[in-house]
Amino acid sequence: MTTKYIGKPASRVDGLEKVTGKARYSADFKVEGLTYGFIVSSSIAKGKITGIDSSRALALDGVLQVFTHENVRNLPWFKLRYTDLDAPSGTPFRPFYDNTIRFSMQPVALVIAETFELARYASSLIKVDYEEETHTSSLYQNISKSFKAPKGKIGYVPPKSRGNADAAYEDAAFKIQAEYKHSAEHHNPMELFSTTAIWDNEKLTVYDKTQGVSNCQFYIGNVFGLAYKDVRIISPYVGGAFGSGLRPQHQLFMAVLAALELKRPVKVGLTRQQMFSFGHRPATLQKLALSASPEGTLESVRHEAYSETSQFENYTEVIVNWSATMYACENVELKYELVKLDTFTPLDMRAPGAVTGVHAMESAMDELAYTLKMDPLIFRLKNYTDEDQVNEKPFSSKELVACYREGAEKFGWAARNVEPRSMRDGKNLVGWGVATAAWDANQMPSRAKALLSIDGKLVVSSGTSDIGTGTYTIMTQIAAEILGIAIENVTFKLGDTNLPLAPLEGGSWTAASVGSAVKTVCEDVRKILLKHAVKTKASPFYNYDPNKLQIDSGEIFDPNDSSKGISVTEIMRLAGVNSIEETSTSGPNPLVGRKYTMNSHAAVFAEVKVDEDLGTVDVTRVVCAVAAGKILNPKTARSQILGGVVWGISKALEEESKLDHQYGRFMNHNLSEYHVPVNKDINDIEVIFVEEKDDIVNPLGVKGVGEIGIIGVAGAIANAVFHATGVRVRNLPITMDKVLQIAEDDRNQVAV
Amino acid sequence: MNSFSYNKVTEVAEAVADLTGHANARFIAGGTNLLDLMKENVARPDHLTDINKLALTAIEETEDGGLSLGALATNADTAWNELVERKYPLLSQAILAGASPQLRNMATNGGNLFQRTRCYYFYDTATACNKREPGSGCSAINGINRIHAILGTSEHCIATHPSDMCVALAALDAKVNVTGPYGDRVIEFRDFHRLPGDTPHLDNNVQDGELVTSIELPPSNFTQHFHYLKVRERQSYAFALVSVAAALELDGNTIKDIRLALGGVAHKPWRDCSCEEAFIGQEATEANFRALAEMILADAKGYGSNTFKIELAKRAIVRAFSEALKNN
Ligand SMILES: Cc1cc2nc3c(=O)[nH]c(=O)nc-3n(C[C@H](O)[C@H](O)[C@H](O)COP(=O)(O)OP(=O)(O)OC[C@H]3O[C@@H](n4cnc5c(N)ncnc54)[C@H](O)[C@@H]3O)c2cc1C
Ligand code: SF4
């Protein structure tokens, strides 16, 4: 099919608004009489509040109220009312519920004042007394208290073992075992969380930063006892979220609470420091044992993961399962356990679980390849599988071999010397590494509305969000393509609970889910237009077979007869319709899901240069070859992969939330000390989208590209560092002290 | 933020006078450090004297052939100044290794000397910190101390001075000119910053109310063999884990004069002249640089997460001198 818009590198339709500052983010909405909130965060991680003295704050002119657990009443005690759509099992955190401190930086008071500066100043005058209790914050020291991860969180699939991994491992000729550690990480989007809540005594309007307006509507309706229809959540632009906006954050509750109580509009934002007071990618400990036959057949995989969660909820993510589907192997033993700590509940962060588990698995695969003295890419190809052995199903499509081939060719992998420390560039040791990546290609039920007006303008809408990924753009492309009108005449609207229901923006499923709904609704409008074309007497196509007609650039025509044509607007006029409005639903086909496993795949190749004396690592080249079905927009898709690779470099080399166990508190809570790459850290990144046709996965044939780009990167870099130096650093981030093996507290890395 | 009064001054004398009568007044220059500290409730001045209009931006040669750097010249203007680049390229290199272009455009030379430590605990009022609140304790000693000091520490504080510029100034024997309620005085750079001892709340020996007017560099011959090496976790916009200002004056391959100052390792830029003297007359070899490194770090002490800095610093010293040798 030749297309006009789908598959073309359209620039962002919202680009101009964003770069000119016209795009309004949640903190940018101004309303008459706005008041400002500032949250006071707890200084301890566990204990009781014994007293709060707000008198000095309240004495200031312009301070309207200080909310604390002592004066906030009439909130439901029933824990389920706080359970949002992305909540794991357990009891969600209930702000101002009682005097118990459950995590460091827990909101303990909310000051509302006439100005932001005053609110912030007043917050510094509030004195909170605590009775401290001993907290537990170290995952590694509490592994013995781990327990089996319970079900209960959307998207969490418990791991399934097969065969007898222990016996196979015992008997195998070649084997490795190793432990991998990952620190916690925080999402740290550029835009801080902020909410503006306006209560007009009947209806509540809320501007929020979120990845799901309907989730916030659900949460606010339940917690504050409001009918959903009276709660409108608006979130047109999101300055990055990466999963942090999947659950309602503290400021949403705070702003709504104050607006309802004070009957004034209220804006509450989190500070950068407070961005470390909620969910994060959990710290983990992973143990892997792999074995292979002398010919390089993978004989057993044993993958255990221990992950932190809070005392009040059981956050789960799919860490180990990937190790059971990425390669052919008869014997797989998986284990996934949680350890409760006095920290906030972890939260999905870009490619949750996979980033963590695949890094460990792909490092272990590399270790095993070295034991076998086999090229790591050949080893992977040798154990390639076209079957999902866990569910005993074929993949709907899997062009991973093409990823390996095209990626290797672009990278020049064939020239690689297998020996570690075999390449050099002056003082630098040079290494090349490879890793595989896989991610789910899911589709969720979604609704979309289309409104075609007599002037030929089409407005399509759905209550989804665009967290910077390009949702606005690709939905506009799909609508223009399907209906056959010029892209300039299409507007897409999102981020509003008044729009049709869409799923949370996560899991790389938005393109497939909302895209399919947009496709369906535009097909429906198209059918109506063609019906008018053949049923309207004055139409040149009166009594035609509508299936013979096409629409392009707003013109209805018969491809086999160029003598006739009529514009979309003209046919509407002749038919006497002012507008056509349709709402449609699209969802996954359960039959397909039963028969096929649907995944996207990638192969990542990385080159590093490691300063031999100083241990600093520079990632000089990355090639990321991706098989993700139909690419709707190569430009925005490439940006997604580039962002994923950059974050993968970050994860491999720099990123870490430093948790102080004296305080049970994350300490590097600013962007000066929470390191992510700067421009200078990023060199050459090549993105390849391999051809992958998939008619099964969904009507659009798309798999989503939001997460697949990050998953293999840390593994490829870790493997490249080994190839360069002969040192296997299994504890991320790979910092110079670990590379040089002069770090005092890194007992888990072993030189080969 | 506390409320505070604010006054913009145009004369040096006016600036000094403006501080008096306030319990806790501060000068504000570029504001790149002070404003952050105020937002985090670490600094709570009741009055700010804005000194940006003072005529202290000149960078000019002194009579003895050295250079004077105005306290209010920005870090960017200083680093890219033709005289600085030509006569003290080590200083240019050091400044440009710091912060980011945006920050260097705002940051002043005077403010750079006074920038406070980046110790995580110092910035978080929920934690104990002797520097912020004398007597409350030091959280870093048993906490996260990857970025902390290995030399000259005390049981009260193990913070580092985070500046890059100051490391080069220490190596180059700079002097700091100050004026104040009690008149003008000159402070040798080695006496400018302090070790923590039992007064970690004091970063330097400038008295309350004193204003830095300029920094003076004596004439020197380190225009050929010099190198500022900054080792850190990303290639820009990060403070040094270890930094080295290395400079050599050679006679053939024999060391005629040598300078070595370290950043990121102590409460002040670390220089030990006796170590330098021991190598004058010796050959400029990697082995000698390693010996020098061993000597200057002989008393280094790690606190766990930062212990690696001892070996890292030694390697960085050898590398910096090797790079310095390459220059010509
Ligand atoms: C994110 C970030 C990264 C950074 N990275 C680096 C880095 O890598 N390397 C580095 O070296 N620096 C770095 N800096 C620090 C930066 O160099 C300093 O903040 C800057 O030099 C301070 O200068 P200023 O003029 O802005 O000082 P201000 O913030 O205005 O003042 C700082 C202090 O100095 C006092 N003061 C200022 N001028 C005078 C004077 N003439 N006499 C007496 N007292 C005075 C003020 O009262 C105040 O107490 C970084 C800063 C930030 C925010
Ligand atoms: S090292 Fe110094 S600045 Fe840091 S916590 Fe200890 S006393 Fe405070």
Side-chain angles (χ1 to χ4, degrees), chain A residues 43 117 120-121 124-125 273 427 611-614 616-618 653-654 658-660 662-663 665-669 671-678 680-681 735-737 740 742-745, chain B residues 1-3 39-41 44 118 120-121 123-124 126-128 138-140 142-144 146-147 229 231-239 241 286 303-305 307-308 311-312 315-316 319:
Chain A
S43 58
E117 288 75 13
R120 179 163 65 177
Y121 171 53
S124 73
L125 303 180
Q273 180 167 334
K427 289 265 181 209
D611 188 305
E612 191 179 7
D613 300 321
L614 304 177
T616 45
V617 179
D618 195 12
L653 303 180
E654 301 184 15
K658 298 187 179 181
L659 184 59
D660 177 286
Q662 301 166 106
Y663 296 100
R665 187 175 178 93
F666 291 108
M667 290 309 305
N668 54 335
H669 41 49
L671 292 186
S672 168
E673 298 302 333
Y674 184 90
H675 285 175
V676 297
V678 293
K680 223 174 161 190
D681 295 328
T735 47
M736 73 276 284
D737 44 330
L740 297 177
I742 54 174
E744 191 166 86
D745 53 355
Chain B
M1 204 183 282
N2 266 330
S3 35
K39 288 181 197 167
E40 301 289 350
N41 281 321
R44 299 177 124 190
R118 309 306 290 201
Y120 315 111
Y121 305 94
Y123 274 83
D124 187 338
T127 64
C138 171
S139 299
N142 295 311
I144 302 167
R146 183 175 175 79
I147 59 173
L229 175 67
V231 188
R232 47 182 157 173
E233 277 153 352
R234 60 181 173 190
Q235 296 186 46
S236 166
Y237 200 56
F239 290 92
L241 285 168
E286 207 161 284
Y303 291 85
S305 321
T307 309
F308 75 97
E311 174 59 24
L312 186 67
R315 290 169 179 236
R319 170 65 62 83

Side-chain angles (χ1 to χ4, degrees), chain B residues 117 119 121-122 128-131 137-140 148 156-159 200:
Chain B
T117 184
C119 171
Y121 305 94
F122 177 68
C129 168
N130 286 328
K131 186 181 275 302
C138 171
S139 299
H148 287 73
H156 304 290
C157 180
I158 59 170

Side-chain angles (χ1 to χ4, degrees), chain A residues 192-214:
Chain A
L192 303 166
F193 276 88
S194 169
T195 303
T196 302
I198 305 145
W199 172 240
D200 69 1
N201 286 319
E202 275 174 35
K203 287 190 191 298
L204 183 71
T205 306
V206 178
Y207 297 96
D208 189 34
K209 172 193 173 91
T210 174
Q211 286 173 256
V213 283
S214 38

